[in-house]
Amino acid sequence: MKRILLSTVTIISLSACSLTPEYSRPTLDQPTIWEGETSDKSEVIPYAWWKSFEDDTLNSLMATALEKNTDITAGIQVVEQSRAALKISGADLWPSLEFDNGISTNNTNPNTGARYETNRYSAGLSASYELDLFGGNRADKDAARANLLSSIYSQGALELVVMADVAQNYFTLLNLYERLRIADENLSSRREVLRIIQVRVNEGADSDLELAQQRNLVASAEASRAQIIELITNAKNALAVLLGRAPQGFSVAEKRLDGIQIPEVATGQPSELLERRPDIKAIEADLVAANANIGAARAAFYPSVSLGIDDTFSIAGFGDPSTSALTLAAAITTPIFQGGALQGSLDNATARQLELVEMYRGAVYESFKDVEDALAAVKAAKVRKGFLETAMLQSRRAYSLSKERYDAGAIDFQTLLDTQISLLSAEDTYAQSRLAELAASVLLYKAMGGGWSH
């Protein structure tokens, strides 16, 4: 016993520090400003960033999705699994206690061979504890804690994706409603032209060529309308699933996109993105866990020391003397040869850490790209919408002038309907540009990490 205790003390004195490498964030080539944004004004994006669009229906849809989306609710359980794993990994840092009791029966006297019955009652309490001399158990717990953080950050990233998808699908659905209205007006105009041409053919004023050409235009308009109806159904179905419900019976009231506010998103400085985006924080947490795993793999090369205490109490029967025994023990286990398993484990942990370093760098650079792309999309959508609005207004003016001239008998009905069809086409293109501007704003919010905070 003295030798065991002396060896234990010697090992404790030799282990003065953890074998886990000191963590440092990987070096990065970080820009100082966004090329697509001249202002470096930094503002905290609110968690409920979607409220900046000032649309009650969107607010309601988002609240339902955050509560019932199946990916989000499943992700919550992933976090709980990581939390449970942390509890398990921390158990080795504490002593373990066990209690046992029992009854045994002896029916034979070993001296005389006479048979009689004797009952013996016993109870025991044992405790054991593994000394974490080289920080292996502590490293395991640190890795589990980092894995828990990674799952929490990943959950935040998942929620951000769902939020953006809900907003995008909702805006797309409203845009499709507008396009269907425009398509109906377009179809009505072409049918009216077809009616007039049919009358003129019957009167001998036009030929079957003009009739066939107009029928072709009507059929094309019918096909375009059918496609838009399909897209509306698809958008509603996708939105229903995002809300965690079956698509059957789901509907969203029609509303014009013009009534939705387009917010200004403050981008701040590029360096802030490392703390704003949950997906980047998740990869960094994985990197911290891999760093701790290296410490655990290094500790496996060194001896492990276990201390134990066992207290046993027994009695043969009522009135018989009782006995008790207290046992102290210490065990030292030293790895000698394991066929390269320990070195392989360390090599694997080291390679995983180096892999995550590059993954982290890649994720950061990709996030910078996401923001620059979103800024470019916001700027382009705004400029494009301005020109298309001008085109739409001019088409309205052309149609108004054509109507006045048609009423005065200066032009024929076909010319009037041509200007009306041009107006409907311009309105459809402008409606899509309005959707593109809203979508770009959502994309920028998503690229900036939304309103997530850890």
Side-chain angles (χ1 to χ4, degrees):
M1 178 65 70
K2 289 182 179 180
R3 291 181 178 178
I4 294 176
L5 292 177
L6 179 60
S7 299
T8 302
V9 172
T10 302
I11 292 177
I12 293 176
S13 64
L14 292 176
S15 59
C17 61
S18 171
L19 299 177
T20 301
E22 183 178 356
Y23 173 76
S24 61
R25 179 174 287 179
T27 57
L28 297 164
D29 179 17
Q30 296 188 50
T32 56
I33 60 172
W34 299 112
E35 292 187 358
E37 182 67 58
T38 57
S39 173
D40 61 353
K41 183 180 180 181
S42 179
E43 295 181 2
V44 177
I45 299 177
Y47 174 78
W49 53 267
W50 58 88
K51 292 185 178 180
S52 60
F53 293 98
E54 299 181 7
D55 185 85
D56 292 339
T57 302
L58 177 61
N59 296 341
S60 177
L61 293 173
M62 202 70 74
T64 301
L66 290 174
E67 178 185 0
K68 297 183 179 180
N69 178 270
T70 54
D71 289 334
I72 290 179
T73 53
I76 292 174
Q77 300 310 313
V78 173
V79 173
E80 292 304 314
Q81 293 173 41
S82 298
R83 202 182 305 278
L86 175 59
K87 293 179 181 178
I88 294 172
S89 65
D92 290 337
L93 296 174
W94 297 89
S96 63
L97 297 175
E98 295 183 0
F99 175 77
D100 63 85
N101 57 17
I103 301 176
S104 60
T105 303
N106 189 351
N107 295 319
T108 304
N109 188 322
N111 297 322
T112 63
R115 299 181 60 82
Y116 67 96
E117 184 175 294
T118 301
N119 292 325
R120 177 173 292 276
Y121 304 91
S122 63
L125 179 66
S126 60
S128 61
Y129 179 61
E130 181 181 350
L131 297 179
D132 191 26
L133 300 178
F134 301 96
N137 293 339
R138 177 63 60 182
D140 286 337
K141 184 175 182 180
D142 290 343
R145 183 182 293 107
N147 287 332
L148 172 59
L149 290 176
S150 177
S151 66
I152 293 174
Y153 297 146
S154 296
Q155 179 70 3
L158 174 62
E159 290 179 0
L160 181 57
V161 170
V162 171
M163 293 175 193
D165 286 349
V166 169
Q168 293 277 26
N169 278 272
Y170 172 63
F171 294 148
T172 298
L173 182 58
L174 296 188
N175 171 256
L176 289 170
Y177 284 150
E178 289 188 15
R179 294 186 62 196
L180 181 61
R181 174 186 59 79
I182 294 170
D184 287 339
E185 294 179 7
N186 187 17
L187 179 60
S188 178
S189 296
R190 294 188 179 189
R191 283 174 174 171
E192 179 60 17
V193 173
L194 178 62
R195 184 189 67 79
I196 293 175
I197 292 178
Q198 182 68 63
V199 172
R200 291 175 62 84
V201 169
N202 294 339
E203 295 176 348
D206 282 334
S207 67
D208 288 339
L209 175 61
E210 287 82 2
L211 184 63
Q213 289 174 334
Q214 191 58 33
R215 284 175 175 171
N216 173 59
L217 293 176
V218 171
S220 297
E222 292 273 16
S224 297
R225 184 181 185 278
Q227 184 179 29
I228 293 175
I229 291 177
E230 178 189 6
L231 293 174
I232 288 175
T233 301
N234 293 340
K236 288 196 296 185
N237 292 344
L239 192 54
V241 172
L242 286 169
L243 301 183
R245 56 159 295 171
Q248 289 77 11
F250 175 75
S251 63
V252 175
E254 296 186 27
K255 184 182 299 184
R256 295 185 66 89
L257 286 177
D258 289 341
I260 298 178
Q261 176 70 26
I262 296 180
E264 293 288 338
V265 185
T267 54
Q269 298 180 350
S271 59
E272 298 175 357
L273 200 64
L274 275 60
E275 304 299 331
R276 278 185 171 181
R277 296 237 328 199
D279 56 337
I280 294 178
K281 297 295 291 182
I283 295 179
E284 185 173 18
D286 290 337
L287 181 55
V288 173
N291 203 61
N293 287 333
I294 292 178
R298 287 176 176 176
F301 282 86
Y302 295 88
S304 62
V305 178
S306 298
L307 302 178
I309 181 172
D310 183 60
D311 188 10
T312 304
F313 174 82
S314 64
I315 184 172
F318 183 75
D320 293 336
S322 61
T323 61
S324 62
L326 179 64
T327 304
L328 297 175
I332 301 177
T333 304
T334 303
I336 298 176
F337 177 75
Q338 295 189 8
L342 295 179
Q343 186 61 49
S345 178
L346 177 58
D347 292 344
N348 180 72
T350 303
R352 174 59 176 166
Q353 191 263 355
L354 294 175
E355 175 195 8
L356 286 169
V357 167
E358 298 307 316
M359 290 178 62
Y360 177 81
R361 289 197 182 104
V364 172
Y365 295 148
E366 188 69 24
S367 70
F368 290 158
K369 172 184 174 297
D370 291 343
V371 175
E372 292 289 2
D373 288 349
L375 286 171
V378 168
K379 183 179 294 185
K382 186 175 182 179
V383 172
R384 184 170 181 269
K385 189 192 73 170
F387 285 120
L388 290 174
E389 184 178 16
T390 299
M392 180 188 65
L393 294 176
Q394 292 301 312
S395 294
R396 285 179 180 175
R397 184 172 182 272
Y399 173 70
S400 178
L401 293 173
S402 296
K403 190 172 184 303
E404 292 176 1
R405 293 181 181 181
Y406 174 77
D407 292 339
I411 60 174
D412 59 16
F413 188 67
Q414 178 67 57
T415 303
L416 172 64
L417 291 181
D418 285 344
T419 59
Q420 185 181 26
I421 291 173
S422 296
L423 170 60
L424 294 174
S425 176
E427 288 180 341
D428 181 72
T429 305
Y430 174 73
Q432 293 186 60
S433 72
R434 179 73 177 180
L435 171 63
E437 191 174 19
L438 287 166
S441 296
V442 173
L443 185 64
L444 182 54
Y445 270 125
K446 181 180 177 182
M448 293 302 301
W452 174 84
S453 62
H454 65 284

